[in-house]
Amino acid sequence: MASVKRASLLSYISVIIYLVTGFFYTPLLVRSLGVSDYGIYTLSASLIGYFTLDFGISAATARLAAKFLANDTRQRIHDLVGITCKLYLLIDIVIFLFLCLFYFFADRLFTQFSAVELEKFRNVFLITSSFVLINFPLIQLKGLFQAYEIITELVIIDIVYKVLSFTTLTVALLLHWGLYSVVAINVGCNLAAQLIRLVYLKRSQHLKINIKARDHEIFHFILSFSLWATLAMIADKFFFGFIPTLMAMFTNTREIAFFAVVISIEGYTLSISRALNGIFLARVTKMVVKGNTNKERTELMIRVGRIQLYIIGSIVFSLFTFGREFIHLWLGQDFDKSYFCLILVLSPCIFHLTQTIGEELIYATNQVKYKAIANIVGSFINVSSIIILTPHYGAIGTAIGVFLSFFIAHNLLIDIFYHKRLGLNMLEFFLQCHVKILPCFLLTTVLFYLTQEFFPHPSLPWFLLRFICWYGLTFTVLWHLCMNTEEKHILQQIIHR
């Protein structure tokens, strides 16, 4: 239990570093590169994210490895890694062919790009494509860390990577090295972190890659698991990974840049909510193997969900209250449209980003097909809405599409699956989490939002003072009206350390 708390605390520290550095890095990136180059950088990153889809193999690896460890058959993990490596190398060849096609036909896809913008995009795409091909077989490493329950070491590596990456990128931007240098440094830091993870696993866990392995049971499980996991991941990519590409077909780089800010902030929020992901994978898998009751699983989901809601709620409602002022101070008046997009995108996140345990149970019980169905439905709504609305309303139209897909797929359909198929009591979950906690956030948010009418153009010091006061009041209300004895004890332990 102590290791779980330590790993959880370090995970949130890692996310805070990512959040703080991102807030400093993004405006510097926009101002150094310019809006057009920033749009190209975002577009290339989204495409690479789409091509790094691992077809569910890493999730299957993490789930099988956790199962082998729970059953005390850890030697089979060497066979598992050998089989997955062979699969990754085969897929790598296919990805290479697709990357080549995309490179040569980019001018036909992005017809609204100028000749200079298209050339820059192709050069950036070459750098990032090379990273994809090298990194692809290494994607499974994080899942193995989670299965071995060595989360603390994984997070420490992530922290070092983020600090090093931020430092080198900041220097590059201050020295005006340009778009290509920024992309190359980002790629280099990523690869260095992956190699460190690989070396650590080989030395600490004596991990071996049995390339000659031919375990039909492992191979059959990976194929059956990966089928639905692949569909889930492909559909999930349409939520954000594919949006800049889709927007580029119907609008200009300026609108892409407006929505890129929303993607960044939503990414920060998602990272914080998923700081606990993987920490409970081994524990949830053991619960499934031992046959724990649905009531016990629901209780764990409520305990974790309430903690996540305190954190996610603090971020989302603070953005609702101060987001417009923050964006003006952060990026300037030109990005005013990003605030309204942010409201639409983050509203549904208050609910589905607090359900980590449900997501872990989907993988632990091999019920990935239900997540795939929800993601496919959501992606269809998302893509359809963007095609219809984005040509007329730009980034706002895109945000409406994301809102509809989030609400229907992640907040309605997936919760029905959790309740009906996994046996989780979702009504009890929402009663104990959202019904009891959200009114406190709404109270302080409405109170402070109204004060903006009296101070429509705040200075940075006044903005920070109001922001700190909001957090102080919100924490006080949550402490006295919402937090139970266990939650107060956890917080007191963190403060005393």
Side-chain angles (χ1 to χ4, degrees):
M1 190 65 183
S3 62
V4 170
K5 291 181 180 179
R6 183 170 58 252
S8 301
L9 179 59
L10 282 172
S11 295
Y12 281 117
I13 291 173
S14 175
V15 171
I16 290 171
I17 292 173
Y18 169 66
L19 187 66
V20 172
T21 55
F23 282 153
F24 283 103
Y25 173 66
T26 301
L28 181 61
L29 187 66
V30 173
R31 289 165 188 157
S32 297
L33 299 182
V35 175
S36 179
D37 278 6
Y38 178 64
I40 292 170
Y41 176 83
T42 305
L43 173 61
S44 178
S46 73
L47 287 172
I48 294 309
Y50 200 74
F51 281 112
T52 52
L53 181 73
D54 76 337
F55 303 95
I57 298 175
S58 64
T61 302
R63 199 255 177 181
L64 263 183
K67 182 180 178 181
F68 291 155
L69 291 169
N71 292 331
D72 199 25
T73 55
R74 62 187 298 136
Q75 289 298 320
R76 296 189 69 188
I77 295 177
H78 302 158
D79 296 340
L80 169 64
V81 176
I83 291 171
T84 54
C85 280
K86 287 186 286 188
L87 289 172
Y88 276 124
L89 290 173
L90 288 174
I91 297 171
D92 233 355
I93 298 172
V94 178
I95 291 175
F96 173 74
L97 296 176
F98 274 104
L99 289 171
C100 289
L101 289 173
F102 205 95
Y103 176 84
F104 289 111
F105 290 95
D107 56 331
R108 299 186 183 183
L109 290 172
F110 308 130
T111 55
Q112 297 192 38
F113 280 23
S114 67
V116 174
E117 288 176 333
L118 192 61
E119 182 183 359
K120 286 183 178 180
F121 168 75
R122 279 178 165 157
N123 291 335
V124 169
F125 192 71
L126 277 177
I127 299 172
T128 49
S129 297
S130 301
F131 165 72
V132 168
L133 296 173
I134 298 171
N135 179 66
F136 193 70
L138 304 175
I139 292 176
Q140 60 182 317
L141 294 178
K142 285 191 175 182
L144 290 171
F145 269 86
Q146 294 165 1
Y148 280 115
E149 295 187 84
I150 45 176
I151 309 298
T152 300
E153 292 80 356
L154 174 64
V155 177
I156 290 173
I157 294 172
D158 285 342
I159 290 174
V160 173
Y161 153 69
K162 287 170 183 174
V163 172
L164 179 63
S165 176
F166 171 73
T167 304
T168 52
L169 286 171
T170 301
V171 171
L173 290 172
L174 291 175
L175 294 176
H176 303 289
W177 286 357
L179 176 63
Y180 304 141
S181 297
V182 169
V183 175
I185 291 171
N186 204 1
V187 165
C189 290
N190 262 296
L191 284 177
Q194 286 287 58
L195 290 175
I196 292 171
R197 293 184 189 107
L198 177 61
V199 171
Y200 184 88
L201 277 176
K202 289 180 72 67
R203 291 184 177 180
S204 65
Q205 302 299 323
H206 306 291
L207 180 67
K208 297 178 182 178
I209 303 174
N210 185 9
I211 295 295
K212 297 181 180 180
R214 294 185 178 182
D215 192 313
H216 295 291
E217 181 184 349
I218 292 175
F219 187 73
H220 181 267
F221 175 84
I222 291 174
L223 289 183
S224 60
F225 185 93
S226 298
L227 174 63
W228 287 107
T230 300
L231 291 175
M233 289 179 180
I234 290 174
D236 187 57
K237 289 292 180 182
F238 281 103
F239 277 102
F240 283 107
F242 196 63
I243 284 177
T245 307
L246 198 60
M247 289 181 71
M249 298 177 185
F250 300 101
T251 188
N252 52 51
T253 55
R254 189 174 181 82
E255 293 294 326
I256 295 173
F258 290 149
F259 198 79
V261 175
V262 180
I263 293 176
S264 295
I265 296 177
E266 194 276 343
Y268 301 145
T269 308
L270 184 65
S271 297
I272 292 172
S273 71
R274 291 185 173 177
L276 300 182
N277 278 30
I279 293 176
F280 291 96
L281 174 63
R283 182 174 178 180
V284 170
T285 302
K286 289 176 183 176
M287 291 179 74
V288 173
V289 171
K290 294 178 180 179
N292 291 64
T293 64
N294 290 333
K295 182 180 178 181
E296 291 174 307
R297 298 176 187 179
T298 302
E299 287 174 353
L300 178 61
M301 185 171 180
I302 291 171
R303 291 171 62 193
V304 176
R306 283 176 61 89
I307 294 173
Q308 287 184 300
L309 184 55
Y310 290 133
I311 298 168
I312 299 303
S314 297
I315 296 168
V316 172
F317 281 99
S318 67
L319 288 169
F320 287 172
T321 309
F322 304 104
R324 193 173 188 180
E325 300 171 57
F326 169 73
I327 289 174
H328 289 171
L329 293 168
W330 185 36
L331 298 172
Q333 299 283 342
D334 291 342
F335 284 82
D336 191 63
K337 185 183 287 189
S338 298
Y339 171 71
F340 299 102
C341 296
L342 196 64
I343 296 296
L344 287 167
V345 170
L346 290 185
S347 295
C349 295
I350 299 169
F351 299 93
H352 68 259
L353 291 185
T354 60
Q355 301 174 10
T356 290
I357 299 302
E359 188 173 349
E360 299 285 18
L361 271 170
I362 280 182
Y363 289 101
T365 57
N366 198 13
Q367 300 289 323
V368 189
K369 63 180 179 181
Y370 298 112
K371 183 178 180 180
I373 292 170
N375 285 355
I376 290 169
V377 171
S379 295
F380 176 78
I381 296 170
N382 188 29
V383 173
S384 301
S385 301
I386 289 174
I387 292 173
I388 295 170
L389 298 174
T390 300
H392 304 287
Y393 304 106
I396 294 290
T398 302
I400 294 172
V402 173
F403 171 83
L404 292 174
S405 59
F406 269 168
F407 178 77
I408 295 172
H410 287 247
N411 287 3
L412 183 62
L413 196 54
I414 199 68
D415 288 341
I416 294 173
F417 290 148
Y418 286 157
H419 191 81
K420 296 291 185 180
R421 298 296 179 180
L422 296 183
L424 296 170
N425 190 338
M426 295 306 295
L427 296 177
E428 182 68 14
F429 172 76
F430 285 118
L431 176 63
Q432 296 298 325
C433 293
H434 298 78
V435 173
K436 291 188 176 182
I437 295 174
L438 286 185
C440 294
F441 281 115
L442 289 170
L443 174 65
T444 57
T445 296
V446 171
L447 178 63
F448 273 76
Y449 187 83
L450 294 175
T451 63
Q452 293 185 44
E453 299 297 325
F454 302 99
F455 306 99
H457 303 290
S459 62
L460 179 59
W462 180 246
F463 169 80
L464 292 173
L465 178 62
R466 291 175 57 239
F467 183 75
I468 293 170
C469 289
W470 180 85
Y471 260 102
L473 178 61
T474 301
F475 175 79
T476 302
V477 173
L478 290 173
W479 179 273
H480 290 287
L481 299 181
C482 298
M483 291 188 184
N484 56 39
T485 304
E486 181 188 13
E487 292 160 355
K488 290 179 179 179
H489 178 68
I490 291 173
L491 187 58
Q492 287 170 340
Q493 282 187 320
I494 293 173
I495 293 173
H496 289 155
R497 287 183 182 181

